[in-house]
Protein backbone atom coordinates (compact mmCIF):
# COMPACT_ATOMS: atom_id res chain seq x y z
CA UNK A 1 0.00 0.00 0.00
CA UNK A 2 1.22 3.49 -0.72
CA UNK A 3 0.20 7.12 -1.01
CA UNK A 4 1.46 9.98 -3.16
CA UNK A 5 0.61 13.66 -2.72
CA UNK A 6 1.05 16.57 -5.11
CA UNK A 7 -0.33 20.07 -5.19
CA UNK A 8 -1.40 20.33 -8.83
CA UNK A 9 0.19 17.56 -10.87
CA UNK A 10 -0.88 14.26 -12.34
CA UNK A 11 0.79 11.49 -10.40
CA UNK A 12 0.91 7.74 -9.96
CA UNK A 13 2.42 5.27 -7.51
CA UNK A 14 3.03 1.54 -7.54
CA UNK A 15 4.49 -0.87 -4.97
CA UNK A 16 5.20 -4.51 -5.75
CA UNK A 17 6.78 -7.39 -3.89
CA UNK A 18 10.05 -8.38 -5.57
CA UNK A 19 10.10 -12.00 -6.71
CA UNK A 20 6.37 -12.51 -6.16
CA UNK A 21 6.07 -13.79 -9.72
CA UNK A 22 8.60 -15.41 -12.02
CA UNK A 23 9.55 -12.43 -14.18
CA UNK A 24 11.16 -14.49 -16.97
CA UNK A 25 7.91 -15.41 -18.69
CA UNK A 26 6.74 -11.75 -18.55
CA UNK A 27 9.82 -10.25 -20.23
CA UNK A 28 8.57 -10.62 -23.85
CA UNK A 29 5.17 -9.07 -23.13
CA UNK A 30 6.16 -6.35 -20.64
CA UNK A 31 9.57 -5.01 -21.66
CA UNK A 32 10.40 -2.86 -24.67
CA UNK A 33 13.27 -4.27 -26.77
CA UNK A 34 15.86 -1.87 -25.31
CA UNK A 35 14.75 -2.73 -21.76
CA UNK A 36 15.01 -6.44 -22.52
CA UNK A 37 18.56 -6.00 -23.86
CA UNK A 38 19.60 -4.00 -20.80
CA UNK A 39 18.04 -6.57 -18.46
CA UNK A 40 19.85 -9.45 -20.16
CA UNK A 41 23.10 -7.50 -19.78
CA UNK A 42 22.80 -7.72 -15.98
CA UNK A 43 23.95 -10.58 -13.81
CA UNK A 44 21.17 -13.13 -13.27
CA UNK A 45 21.01 -12.27 -9.56
CA UNK A 46 20.24 -8.60 -10.38
CA UNK A 47 17.50 -9.25 -12.94
CA UNK A 48 14.49 -9.82 -10.63
CA UNK A 49 15.06 -6.48 -8.86
CA UNK A 50 15.50 -4.55 -12.13
CA UNK A 51 12.45 -6.19 -13.74
CA UNK A 52 10.35 -5.26 -10.70
CA UNK A 53 11.72 -1.70 -10.82
CA UNK A 54 10.75 -1.35 -14.49
CA UNK A 55 7.34 -2.89 -13.81
CA UNK A 56 6.59 -0.47 -10.97
CA UNK A 57 7.77 2.52 -13.02
CA UNK A 58 5.44 1.54 -15.86
CA UNK A 59 2.53 0.98 -13.47
CA UNK A 60 3.13 4.35 -11.76
CA UNK A 61 3.21 6.10 -15.14
CA UNK A 62 0.01 4.39 -16.35
CA UNK A 63 -1.78 5.21 -13.08
CA UNK A 64 -0.65 8.82 -13.36
CA UNK A 65 -2.16 9.02 -16.83
CA UNK A 66 -5.35 7.34 -15.67
CA UNK A 67 -4.78 4.38 -17.99
CA UNK A 68 -5.07 0.71 -17.22
CA UNK A 69 -2.80 -2.23 -17.80
CA UNK A 70 -4.56 -2.83 -21.14
CA UNK A 71 -2.38 -0.02 -22.56
CA UNK A 72 0.39 -1.49 -24.78
CA UNK A 73 2.98 -1.61 -22.01
CA UNK A 74 5.84 -2.51 -24.37
CA UNK A 75 5.40 0.96 -25.95
CA UNK A 76 6.72 2.47 -22.71
CA UNK A 77 10.43 2.15 -22.04
CA UNK A 78 12.62 3.28 -19.19
CA UNK A 79 16.32 4.00 -19.11
CA UNK A 80 18.69 5.98 -16.92
CA UNK A 81 18.88 3.54 -14.04
CA UNK A 82 22.04 5.31 -12.88
CA UNK A 83 19.80 7.82 -11.10
CA UNK A 84 18.02 9.93 -13.72
CA UNK A 85 15.05 7.88 -14.89
CA UNK A 86 13.88 8.63 -18.39
CA UNK A 87 10.67 7.50 -20.03
CA UNK A 88 9.98 7.15 -23.72
CA UNK A 89 6.53 6.37 -25.08
CA UNK A 90 6.15 5.44 -28.74
CA UNK A 91 2.96 5.57 -30.75
CA UNK A 92 1.03 7.94 -28.47
CA UNK A 93 0.59 11.46 -29.81
CA UNK A 94 -0.89 12.65 -26.48
CA UNK A 95 2.16 11.89 -24.31
CA UNK A 96 5.73 10.93 -25.16
CA UNK A 97 6.81 10.60 -21.51
CA UNK A 98 9.12 13.62 -21.57
CA UNK A 99 7.19 15.79 -19.07
CA UNK A 100 7.23 13.17 -16.32
CA UNK A 101 9.62 12.85 -13.39
CA UNK A 102 10.25 9.42 -11.92
CA UNK A 103 11.50 7.97 -8.68
CA UNK A 104 12.04 4.36 -7.70
CA UNK A 105 13.70 2.43 -4.91
CA UNK A 106 13.58 -0.87 -3.07
CA UNK A 107 11.96 -1.02 0.36
CA UNK A 108 12.66 -3.40 3.22
CA UNK A 109 14.60 -5.71 0.89
CA UNK A 110 11.38 -7.23 -0.45
CA UNK A 111 9.49 -4.45 -2.25
CA UNK A 112 10.00 -2.08 -5.13
CA UNK A 113 8.22 1.28 -5.17
CA UNK A 114 7.95 3.81 -7.99
CA UNK A 115 6.32 7.20 -8.40
CA UNK A 116 5.58 9.31 -11.47
CA UNK A 117 4.71 13.02 -11.52
CA UNK A 118 3.86 15.05 -14.63
CA UNK A 119 5.07 18.63 -14.43
CA UNK A 120 7.16 21.12 -16.38
CA UNK A 121 9.00 22.03 -13.17
CA UNK A 122 12.55 20.83 -12.67
CA UNK A 123 12.54 21.05 -8.87
CA UNK A 124 10.48 17.91 -8.20
CA UNK A 125 11.39 16.33 -4.87
CA UNK A 126 10.46 12.82 -3.84
CA UNK A 127 10.46 11.69 -0.24
CA UNK A 128 9.49 8.27 1.09
CA UNK A 129 9.01 6.55 4.38
CA UNK A 130 8.42 2.85 4.82
CA UNK A 131 6.13 1.80 7.65
CA UNK A 132 6.29 -1.94 8.01
CA UNK A 133 3.39 -2.56 10.34
CA UNK A 134 0.25 -0.46 10.39
CA UNK A 135 -2.42 -0.94 13.05
Amino acid sequence: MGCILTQKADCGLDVEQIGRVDYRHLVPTVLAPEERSALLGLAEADRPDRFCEIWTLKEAYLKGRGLGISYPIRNISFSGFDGNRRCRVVGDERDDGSTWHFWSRPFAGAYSAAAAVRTQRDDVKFSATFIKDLP
Side-chain angles (χ1 to χ4, degrees), residues 46-100:
D46 296 330
R47 292 177 188 173
D49 290 356
R50 177 58 53 83
F51 178 85
C52 197
E53 181 178 17
I54 293 169
W55 178 268
T56 56
L57 284 163
K58 289 183 181 205
E59 286 268 351
Y61 170 74
L62 289 172
K63 289 174 181 178
R65 286 196 56 195
L67 302 172
I69 197 69
S70 63
Y71 187 86
I73 199 163
R74 288 185 59 210
N75 288 1
I76 307 163
S77 79
F78 281 90
S79 61
F81 291 96
D82 56 356
N84 185 19
R85 306 289 180 272
R86 290 178 301 282
C87 176
R88 185 173 65 86
V89 181
V90 296
D92 189 336
E93 65 279 350
R94 293 167 291 165
D95 190 348
D96 65 2
S98 64
T99 59
W100 290 81

